[in-house]
Amino acid sequence: MMTAMTDTSPQPAPDGRDEAERKRRLRQRNLIVLALLIAWVALIYLVAIVRMGAQ
Amino acid sequence: MSDVTMDSSMTARGASWRDYYELLKPRVMTLVVFTAIAGMMAAPGAIHPAVAVAAILCVTIGAGAAGAINMWFERDIDAVMARTAARPTVQGRVEPAEALTFGVFLSVASVMTMALLVGWVAGALLALANLFYVFVYTIWLKRRTPQNIVIGGAAGAFPPMIGWAAVTGDVTVVPILYFLLIFLWTPPHFWALALYRRPEYDKAGVPMLPVVAGERATKLQMLLYTVALLPVSVAPPLLGVGGWLTVGGGLVLGLLFVICAWRVWQEDGAATGHKAAKLMFGYSIFYLFALFGLIAVDGGATGLGL
């Protein structure tokens, strides 16, 4: 029985179209992670100000 | 765990943001967020909008993170069931280790953020809900006992309590009643689904009640749970949270839920294609949305002195 995690058999090399698509998706993901991190920092900043104002 | 077939071209292209979004189980998340907001609105006291947004985001991401860990662990049985066979972990669009890392990271981040920005009680409840869903329901109970969703249902019952705790910083009898509402709602909701998806659960080896005890015993249990829901749904106004809207609406919605369960009890599923069970599953979702909608409106109005 072989699971996806233990499957070490060689995968076929991605062709040019797959490679371009992989890069596009990776860039898209990175931009989303960046946006989420900025939003998270902004949220912490905003709530910290609100909490300080309440004290 | 059994084999999980992967399309090499899918892994070569990598996962898109939509695959990660799917890992968060957005449909389940909607219900979680809605009940959390209802708990927040019904709670006495005020919360700054920025803190409320932070609390809602934390509940949303925390619930989604637990869903991602669940998908990582259940990818073998998900592959067997038609309902879950298109999940990104089954299709190979997201590597199992990636799904696990994603879920654990978001879970820890949401709990920490909730504790720091909103309050330690809300943070602790969110952590408890996530730990319960992953360890008690997903890993321990689901594949072992037909009571899996009865006990495991507690995980989904936490959100209104978390919403309440975000406002008040504590847990009183009323949020425990909201918890009880979802706790009692979960078994008939899932068993309605399990009745018409029984062959799939059977094939996947998940001991859902219809698989283990048969349809008749399941339908009786469903009826009993819907009847038990009735007094619980009208109890919060008796304790001063909410008013006639929750009492009246809760009774009407609850009676319709009992009627659904009665029709399922009388139905010969094999002959009708489980029409009544399918209807009850759909109604159960409407029931919870409507009831917590009433709780939010009524509780909010009470809080404003209306």
Side-chain angles (χ1 to χ4, degrees), chain A residues 1-5 11-12 14 17-19 21-23 25-26 28-29 32 40 43-44 46-48 50-51, chain B residues 1-4 6 8-9 12-17 20 48 50-51 53-54 57 75 96 98 113 117-119:
Chain A
M1 200 161 61
M2 188 185 281
T3 67
M5 277 192 288
Q11 298 289 320
R17 209 172 42 181
D18 273 349
E19 183 58 18
E21 177 63 14
R22 192 185 69 79
K23 279 186 177 168
R25 289 185 175 189
L26 196 62
Q28 201 176 40
R29 272 162 49 187
I32 289 171
W40 186 64
L43 183 74
I44 289 183
L46 185 68
V47 175
V50 164
R51 288 202 164 259
Chain B
M1 285 184 193
S2 62
D3 289 358
V4 176
M6 279 198 186
S8 61
S9 67
R13 283 195 293 265
S16 78
W17 66 270
Y20 288 97
H48 191 283
V51 182
V53 167
L57 280 175
R75 61 192 188 281
E98 264 187 293
T113 308
L117 298 188
V118 183

Side-chain angles (χ1 to χ4, degrees), chain B residues 261-274:
Chain B
W262 179 253
R263 287 184 59 186
V264 171
W265 167 256
Q266 287 186 313
E267 182 183 54
D268 175 8
T272 61
H274 293 288

Side-chain angles (χ1 to χ4, degrees), chain B residues 44-71:
Chain B
I47 183 169
H48 191 283
V51 182
V53 167
I56 293 163
L57 280 175
C58 289
V59 172
T60 310
I61 292 166
I69 299 172
N70 171 276
M71 278 199 205

Side-chain angles (χ1 to χ4, degrees), chain B residues 23-24 60-70 102-104 106-107 110 130 134:
Chain B
L23 280 181
L24 301 175
T60 310
I61 292 166
I69 299 172
N70 171 276
F102 180 68
V104 171
L106 286 185
S107 187
S110 61
N130 278 9
V134 171

Side-chain angles (χ1 to χ4, degrees), chain B:
Chain B
M1 285 184 193
S2 62
D3 289 358
V4 176
T5 313
M6 279 198 186
D7 177 351
S8 61
S9 67
M10 279 177 176
T11 46
R13 283 195 293 265
S16 78
W17 66 270
R18 284 186 194 85
D19 296 321
Y20 288 97
Y21 178 66
E22 260 184 68
L23 280 181
L24 301 175
K25 295 192 177 179
R27 270 198 247 171
V28 177
M29 221 159 63
T30 316
L31 212 58
V32 166
V33 172
F34 190 78
T35 54
I37 293 174
M40 206 179 268
M41 286 181 73
I47 183 169
H48 191 283
V51 182
V53 167
I56 293 163
L57 280 175
C58 289
V59 172
T60 310
I61 292 166
I69 299 172
N70 171 276
M71 278 199 205
W72 161 75
F73 189 78
E74 291 189 348
R75 61 192 188 281
D76 58 334
I77 54 174
D78 283 349
V80 180
M81 298 173 69
R83 187 173 69 90
T84 51
R87 286 180 172 173
T89 40
V90 177
Q91 296 292 316
R93 298 196 301 273
V94 177
E95 295 278 356
E98 264 187 293
L100 178 63
T101 311
F102 180 68
V104 171
F105 173 77
L106 286 185
S107 187
V108 172
S110 61
V111 168
M112 296 290 283
T113 308
M114 179 75 104
L116 289 168
L117 298 188
V118 183
W120 291 103
V121 177
L125 287 172
L126 183 61
L128 189 61
N130 278 9
L131 290 171
F132 200 92
Y133 185 71
V134 171
F135 290 103
V136 178
Y137 171 67
T138 304
I139 296 177
W140 182 32
L141 295 173
K142 185 160 180 183
R143 301 176 195 227
R144 285 183 175 82
T145 166
Q147 294 299 308
N148 47 15
I149 48 113
V150 176
I151 306 163
F158 276 101
M161 200 187 256
I162 297 170
W164 181 286
V167 177
T168 63
D170 61 12
V171 175
T172 55
V173 181
V174 175
I176 292 172
L177 285 172
Y178 295 154
F179 175 94
L180 203 56
L181 263 178
I182 302 180
F183 185 74
L184 292 173
W185 166 87
T186 307
H189 165 74
F190 271 109
W191 287 334
L193 174 80
L195 278 173
Y196 64 87
R197 296 274 188 186
R198 183 181 164 182
E200 287 181 40
Y201 281 112
D202 203 2
K203 196 174 152 196
V206 180
M208 294 298 278
L209 198 61
V211 176
V212 176
E215 290 194 5
R216 202 72 185 150
T218 307
K219 288 173 178 178
L220 178 64
Q221 294 277 324
M222 287 164 73
L223 190 59
L224 292 174
Y225 272 97
T226 53
V227 172
L229 258 176
L230 274 172
V232 181
S233 65
V234 297
L238 302 177
L239 294 165
V241 179
W244 64 269
L245 199 62
T246 310
V247 175
L251 278 176
V252 172
L253 289 166
L255 282 171
L256 288 172
F257 205 17
V258 173
I259 290 170
C260 280
W262 179 253
R263 287 184 59 186
V264 171
W265 167 256
Q266 287 186 313
E267 182 183 54
D268 175 8
T272 61
H274 293 288
K275 212 172 156 184
K278 286 174 185 171
L279 182 75
M280 182 168 176
F281 180 71
Y283 178 76
S284 67
I285 296 169
F286 169 77
Y287 170 86
L288 204 70
F289 268 112
L291 187 64
F292 274 90
L294 290 174
I295 287 170
V297 172
D298 213 11
T302 311
L304 293 170
L306 300 173

